[in-house]
Amino acid sequence: MDIKPLRYFIAIAKTESFTKAAQQLGVAQPAVSMAVKKLEADLGLTLIHRADRNIGLTDEGKKLLIHAEKIIQATDDALLEMSELKGLSQGEVRVGIPSMLGSYYFPPILMAFRHKYPTITLKVIEGGTWQLQKMLENGELDLSVIVAETLPDGLETQALIREEMLVTIATDHPFSQLEKISPEAFFDEELVMFKEGYFHRRIVDKLAKACKKTPKIGFETNLIPLIKSITQQGFGISTLLAMVIEEDDDLITRSFDPPIWLDLGIAWRKDSYLSKANRAFLEFVNEHGRYKRRS
């Protein structure tokens, strides 16, 4: 079977549109339509609902999608491995990094890696850890930073960093007189939080559930400078990793009681071929990323 129609079929399934699929693939829309029609004819099955411009998969299409993604991933892995056996000097690393680590932990590592390997292309995708984990599982990323405790069976991970989540407050907040903050006291305050899908928010929501509290979220934003500014001005309190707090931020941090530690790792799919470029990146991060690691 020619696998090109499978690529077209997957693109249609993901975009729910023949037009968008063609644009994504960089081909003419009639070519996509004809390829999928031929695929349906070869299989003797209807794979796509086309009524009323609403594109959706039939039950047969949904089952084929599972196999098609595996076939395409295996084919891409095989082609990549064969290219490297020919001595390919260039490569690409697609890595997912949460915003806090992308802003405060990874920049010097990324720049140093690029300096050492100038022929390797780095594609850094920022997002929430849950979103990035799904992208990794779907083959949209080669590597991704995830919270180690949520590691599914299909992924392998390398330890990256252990950081404490700290209650972050303005300098004149009453919490500044305390050494540690209980979760109950934390949830009595108005909060400045990351949006859902980010590891900080997931940990906070889990903590609230454990102590049977409903978070009073006054502001939701993924912009760290905005979180700091709102907190500095006393419009709420937040929780940030220790690495984010700078000496001139005019903020105070306190540990939770008991302390909350996050173990973050960099993960990849168990069943995929890890290219030389990705292996070089993993080794480089393991060697040069320890300066931020805390016990």
Side-chain angles (χ1 to χ4, degrees), residues 87-104:
L88 184 67
S89 60
Q90 296 184 349
E92 179 181 83
V93 176
R94 300 175 302 167
V95 58
I97 301 176
S99 57
M100 252 188 281
L101 272 70
S103 298
Y104 294 90

Side-chain angles (χ1 to χ4, degrees), residues 6-41:
L6 292 180
R7 292 189 188 275
Y8 292 178
F9 171 69
I10 292 171
I12 294 167
K14 298 297 184 184
T15 62
E16 298 182 340
S17 166
F18 281 88
T19 301
K20 291 179 181 178
Q23 292 172 346
Q24 183 184 92
L25 294 163
V27 298
Q29 182 178 331
V32 174
S33 299
M34 290 176 61
V36 173
K37 283 182 180 179
K38 186 177 185 305
L39 178 63
E40 289 179 318

Side-chain angles (χ1 to χ4, degrees), residues 117-138:
Y117 300 100
T119 61
I120 293 179
T121 301
L122 275 173
K123 289 189 177 180
V124 180
I125 309 299
E126 185 184 59
T129 49
W130 180 249
Q131 171 200 1
L132 296 175
Q133 181 176 310
K134 288 302 176 185
M135 291 179 68
L136 179 63
E137 291 174 326
N138 293 335

Side-chain angles (χ1 to χ4, degrees), residues 42 171 177 215:
D42 290 343
T171 55
Q177 306 302 313

Side-chain angles (χ1 to χ4, degrees), residues 196-249:
E196 292 184 356
Y198 283 72
F199 64 85
H200 256 56
R201 180 64 179 271
R202 289 171 65 85
I203 297 298
V204 168
D205 288 345
K206 184 178 179 181
L207 185 63
K209 186 176 180 180
C211 63
K212 298 180 180 179
K213 287 278 192 175
T214 301
K216 297 188 289 186
I217 300 175
F219 296 88
E220 269 191 339
T221 177
N222 298 331
L223 300 175
I224 297 173
L226 184 55
I227 291 175
K228 288 184 178 182
S229 179
I230 294 170
T231 305
Q232 286 166 352
Q233 296 176 55
F235 289 106
I237 69 172
S238 189
T239 174
L240 296 170
L241 296 185
M243 71 170 72
V244 172
I245 306 300
E246 309 286 349
E247 290 183 5
D248 58 353
D249 276 339

Side-chain angles (χ1 to χ4, degrees), residues 33-215:
S33 299
M34 290 176 61
V36 173
K37 283 182 180 179
K38 186 177 185 305
L39 178 63
E40 289 179 318
D42 290 343
L43 295 174
L45 297 169
T46 300
L47 303 173
I48 298 174
H49 292 299
R50 297 172 173 84
D52 300 325
R53 295 186 179 180
N54 293 322
I55 302 300
L57 299 184
T58 63
D59 289 342
E60 293 81 4
K62 291 175 183 177
K63 290 180 180 179
L64 177 63
L65 180 62
I66 297 171
H67 296 290
E69 289 179 326
K70 291 179 180 178
I71 291 169
I72 294 300
Q73 186 64 59
T75 302
D76 289 345
D77 286 348
L79 291 174
L80 177 58
E81 188 170 358
M82 293 306 101
S83 295
E84 293 193 336
L85 288 175
K86 293 189 295 183
L88 184 67
S89 60
Q90 296 184 349
E92 179 181 83
V93 176
R94 300 175 302 167
V95 58
I97 301 176
S99 57
M100 252 188 281
L101 272 70
S103 298
Y104 294 90
Y105 178 79
F106 268 100
I109 296 175
L110 296 175
M111 288 184 287
F113 179 80
R114 192 74 177 84
H115 179 74
K116 183 175 181 179
Y117 300 100
T119 61
I120 293 179
T121 301
L122 275 173
K123 289 189 177 180
V124 180
I125 309 299
E126 185 184 59
T129 49
W130 180 249
Q131 171 200 1
L132 296 175
Q133 181 176 310
K134 288 302 176 185
M135 291 179 68
L136 179 63
E137 291 174 326
N138 293 335
E140 299 171 63
L141 294 172
D142 304 311
L143 303 165
S144 183
V145 175
I146 67 169
V147 179
E149 67 178 4
T150 64
L151 185 70
D153 292 337
L155 299 180
E156 292 187 31
T157 187
Q158 171 180 292
L160 178 64
I161 184 173
R162 191 168 200 252
E163 280 281 309
E164 186 178 6
M165 282 182 63
L166 297 171
V167 178
T168 307
I169 55 177
T171 55
D172 59 351
H173 193 280
F175 282 179
S176 64
Q177 306 302 313
L178 303 176
E179 292 186 4
K180 295 183 179 181
I181 312 299
S182 70
E184 291 77 11
F186 177 78
F187 288 115
D188 285 338
E189 300 289 318
E190 187 159 303
L191 305 178
V192 187
M193 286 284 105
F194 278 82
K195 294 180 181 179
E196 292 184 356
Y198 283 72
F199 64 85
H200 256 56
R201 180 64 179 271
R202 289 171 65 85
I203 297 298
V204 168
D205 288 345
K206 184 178 179 181
L207 185 63
K209 186 176 180 180
C211 63
K212 298 180 180 179
K213 287 278 192 175
T214 301

